[in-house]
Amino acid sequence: MSKSNGFQYFVPVLAGKVVRAAAKIRGGGSAFPGYVTTSLAPNFLRDVTGQFRYGIVYVLGSNGKSTTTHMLTEVLRGHGLRVFTNPSGANLPQGIASSILAESTVFGRLDADIGVLEVDEAFALEFARTVPPSTVLILNTQVDQLYRFYETERVADMMLDTAQQASKHIVTNREDPYLSKIARRYADGDATSGPDISYFGASDAVIAGSPHGLFNATDYRDAGIEAGQHVALAELTDTDRAGATIAVRGEPVDVVLPAKGLHYAIDAAAALATAAIILGDDFSAASASAAFAAMKPAYGRGELLAFGNEMVEFVMFKNAASLQLNLDALPEPPAQVLFAIDEGTPDISWIYDIDFSALDHVDVITGAKAWQIALCLELNGVRIGTVEPDLKTAIDLMRAMPKPASGMKTWIVNYEIMMLARKQIGFLELENQR
Amino acid sequence: MSPDSVPVTLLQLYPEELGVAGDRGNVLALKSRLEHAGVEVTVVEHRIGDSLPTDVDLVLVGNGPLSAMRNVYDDLFSIGDHLRAYRSIDVPLFAYGSGAELLGHSIALPDGSTLDGLGILPFRAERVTERAVGYISVDTPFGRIVGFEDNASRWILDPEAKPLGILEVGSGNSAGSVEGVLDAGAIGTQLGGPALPLNPLLTDALIGFVAARRGFDYRPSDVNATVDRYATLAREVILANAKHVFSRI
Ligand SMILES: [Zn+2]
């Protein structure tokens, strides 16, 4: 907190809030108010967030940012902290600025003990100059968004460089070939401090039990370098349909997971490791467990929605890793399946790298990529019911099918289709709140 | 019809390192069509340190990041003479993305350095800053092929070399309005998607090269009808949506 009185922010913050109110009336949020405030008062964000007792946590990664940010936020709240967090998916700098603005007083105050921010990896390093992180959590590096980054190691480097901006703690994935090498950037290795380095991970048995492992990207650049033995502050030791057991500093914490799937269990370990290093002796296994038990599933991540007299189980994916790990988490081939991808996922060539043996059939394939999916499934010998590119008609086809014994229909969808499908079946609220 | 009961051998180079863009789908499409035509297929995956089979009917290599290219580099050069020998007896080749670039003359990298290629395909590549991302359509001697391109490369063909086709939509080689390189039975391309499942006519052309060399008749089977229908409809949607510019940053 640099300057004592907040009057310098009165005009810019008010200007931002006015623009924000106007944007809301027009419908929908906007990053523009954040731009208005930051351009009128460039130090505003730094000063507001600099007031937080526990500083700012960045959550970075190829996959699981929203889920983990949500988990960490709830665990910290479960310990009595007031947590500021950005709306799910609003992870670009202007969007984050906009949400900080929305919760600040006109004098540049925001009553919170800590900020937990999901940050887009491409902008994180630049954003760290404006809002310096005290803690950086990096989840994973997956072969993902090649259309955005081309080289997987470029994404890994962006995240590792950002992690080094943390003033206090780096928390990262012991099982990720790129991320687990971060200690090599410091002379003292894992013993380094300012920032210190902590790991989350999974036991050998858990990894061995997963049909396709963790699906993290292979590090070809430093392939010759041994991964090294790191102690995990939080280690996933067991996971089943209902939840997981995660050893935090050796003490088992039982968590209920908002969705099934190994990646969600690892995200939970990431959230617990981060909470434990930030809270120190104040970390309580019981409070953490209780927070997970009370947590609502995030949008589309194993969420069950009413669909007539049946339920729809949403299985949402954004890349090969999340689709494969979601398929691996299916306890048996689902009785009624809709599978959909639209142009929100521009390049789907990676679907040929997926093992579809967890599905014995798909009832309806839909979305703009429907014929491409059908082609891949047909070549892979997965039985196909109907291909119907129009989502609304496809949903009607699913509705017309007899109620399955489980009472549940499984919709495997990308993010954009998930949002559209929710609207179609009458769930209109926006994904925002954590 | 059947190639005197000796199976057709498909050789895929570095399926992990140079196989990040669904390259497995190209192998799958070839295998499926050959088997439907009653031809037995053996797929050999070549990994670092493996020795190569003597009799190969088609060589495939796919796409991967620069780090993966560097990783396979020494092994690739150690099998270079084998690969050249295959080409000298007209074994067809299908190479996509950076795998194709390693088979060209050279790759100029953004840091100013140059990576030598094997010189099997008649072009050189330059990595550029501008990325080409989106749907692509190309008019080739085998017919129109469509797919998805995602690269930051310019391909400069040798003076005598022929492109795979004329560009209709997309960036292709980013040099001239052409895409890829076609050298007798060898194809290098930046058209992904992957290319062969989406474009059965290109798959059939490659199988045609194999059949001609092995001396058997190849006629696509009726069993392919469902796959062909899905491919046709997928291509129609791609062409209709090809105007979409994917500009996510
Ligand atoms: Zn069914």
Side-chain angles (χ1 to χ4, degrees), chain A residues 32-55:
Chain A
F32 186 64
Y35 172 77
V36 170
T37 306
T38 45
S39 56
L40 290 176
N43 294 324
F44 170 77
L45 295 174
R46 176 190 293 265
D47 287 356
V48 169
T49 56
Q51 298 163 15
F52 300 159
R53 179 179 163 205
Y54 292 97

Side-chain angles (χ1 to χ4, degrees), chain A residues 313 330 332-337 358-361 363 408-410 412:
Chain A
E313 176 192 39
L330 294 170
E332 60 267 330
Q336 288 187 5
V337 188
L359 302 176
D360 58 6
H361 78 290
D363 294 289
M408 200 167 75
K409 304 193 175 196
T410 303
I412 304 170

Side-chain angles (χ1 to χ4, degrees), chain A residues 92 120 122-123 143 145-154 178 218-221 223-224 343-354 368-369 371-372 374-376 378-380 384-385 387 389 416, chain B residues 16-17 19-25 28-29 32 63-68 71 98 101 127 131 133 135 148 150-153 192-194 197-198 226-227 229-231 233-234 237-238 241 244 246 248-249:
Chain A
L92 300 179
D120 185 283
F123 296 92
V143 177
Q145 306 189 78
L146 286 177
Y147 63 92
R148 234 185 117 187
F149 299 114
Y150 199 46
E151 303 283 358
T152 307
E153 51 266 37
R154 261 191 71 202
Y178 282 105
T218 308
D219 180 359
Y220 292 117
R221 179 175 56 187
E343 297 292 9
T345 309
D347 179 11
I348 62 162
S349 50
W350 51 261
I351 62 172
Y352 285 88
D353 295 323
I354 299 294
K369 308 276 193 189
W371 299 113
Q372 290 190 57
L375 180 58
C376 177
E378 181 71 22
L379 282 167
N380 277 292
I384 295 168
V387 186
E416 289 76 6
Chain B
E16 281 88 23
E17 292 89 345
V20 303
D23 297 285
R24 197 184 138 261
L28 185 62
S32 157
N63 199 22
L66 192 53
S67 56
N71 217 244
S98 51
E101 294 180 355
R127 291 295 172 92
R131 302 183 40 67
V133 181
Y135 287 133
F148 196 90
D150 181 3
N151 63 76
S153 273
L198 275 173
T226 306
V227 166
R229 184 171 151 264
Y230 290 155
L233 291 162
V237 174
I238 287 174
N241 291 358
H244 275 287
F246 293 107
R248 290 252 199 112
I249 295 138

Side-chain angles (χ1 to χ4, degrees), chain A residues 124-426:
Chain A
L125 189 58
E126 185 196 335
F127 192 59
R129 281 195 279 271
T130 315
V131 177
S134 52
T135 303
V136 174
L137 163 61
I138 329 179
L139 297 171
N140 46 44
T141 313
Q142 293 168 348
V143 177
D144 180 21
Q145 306 189 78
L146 286 177
Y147 63 92
R148 234 185 117 187
F149 299 114
Y150 199 46
E151 303 283 358
T152 307
E153 51 266 37
R154 261 191 71 202
V155 196
D157 282 340
M158 286 174 189
M159 297 193 289
L160 291 166
D161 291 346
T162 308
Q164 294 193 281
Q165 307 303 309
S167 57
K168 292 200 175 114
H169 315 294
I170 295 170
V171 184
T172 194
N173 189 340
R174 182 182 65 183
E175 322 306 345
D176 186 290
Y178 282 105
L179 304 181
S180 59
K181 293 189 182 103
I182 190 163
R184 294 170 43 81
R185 293 179 172 221
Y186 297 95
D188 296 339
D190 281 346
T192 197
S193 58
D196 53 38
I197 302 173
S198 306
Y199 299 90
F200 60 92
S203 69
D204 292 345
V206 166
I207 295 170
S210 167
H212 302 91
L214 301 177
F215 230 97
N216 293 321
T218 308
D219 180 359
Y220 292 117
R221 179 175 56 187
D222 295 327
I225 296 168
E226 291 262 339
Q229 297 295 310
H230 306 290
V231 176
L233 174 58
E235 183 181 76
L236 175 66
T237 55
D238 193 23
T239 181
D240 60 26
R241 286 183 77 165
T245 305
I246 294 160
V248 180
R249 294 195 182 97
E251 185 190 355
V253 179
D254 289 320
V255 298
V256 178
L257 290 176
K260 51 186 192 282
L262 180 56
H263 50 319
Y264 295 117
I266 301 234
D267 291 344
L272 287 175
T274 310
I277 194 71
I278 290 169
L279 294 167
D281 291 343
D282 293 337
F283 177 82
S284 148
S287 303
S289 272
F292 273 95
M295 221 175 276
K296 286 199 300 186
Y299 256 61
R301 289 84 170 179
E303 202 185 17
L304 288 174
L305 296 181
F307 182 54
N309 66 344
E310 302 159 332
M311 299 297 275
V312 168
E313 176 192 39
F314 275 101
V315 176
M316 202 261 285
F317 62 89
K318 57 175 278 203
N319 61 13
S322 54
L323 178 55
Q324 188 68 68
L325 293 170
N326 279 324
L327 291 175
D328 290 350
L330 294 170
E332 60 267 330
Q336 288 187 5
V337 188
L338 173 139
F339 190 177
I341 310 180
D342 69 359
E343 297 292 9
T345 309
D347 179 11
I348 62 162
S349 50
W350 51 261
I351 62 172
Y352 285 88
D353 295 323
I354 299 294
D355 174 2
F356 286 103
S357 55
L359 302 176
D360 58 6
H361 78 290
V362 172
D363 294 289
V364 179
I365 303 177
T366 186
K369 308 276 193 189
W371 299 113
Q372 290 190 57
I373 300 168
L375 180 58
C376 177
L377 293 185
E378 181 71 22
L379 282 167
N380 277 292
V382 180
R383 200 155 42 82
I384 295 168
T386 311
V387 186
E388 172 48 67
D390 180 67
L391 178 63
K392 191 174 176 304
T393 313
I395 290 175
D396 288 342
L397 288 172
M398 288 301 286
R399 201 185 294 275
M401 291 175 61
K403 183 176 178 168
S406 64
M408 200 167 75
K409 304 193 175 196
T410 303
W411 294 9
I412 304 170
V413 293
N414 68 340
Y415 181 85
E416 289 76 6
I417 290 270
M418 191 264 297
M419 298 304 280
L420 291 169
R422 289 179 67 96
K423 268 189 204 160
Q424 289 283 346
I425 63 173

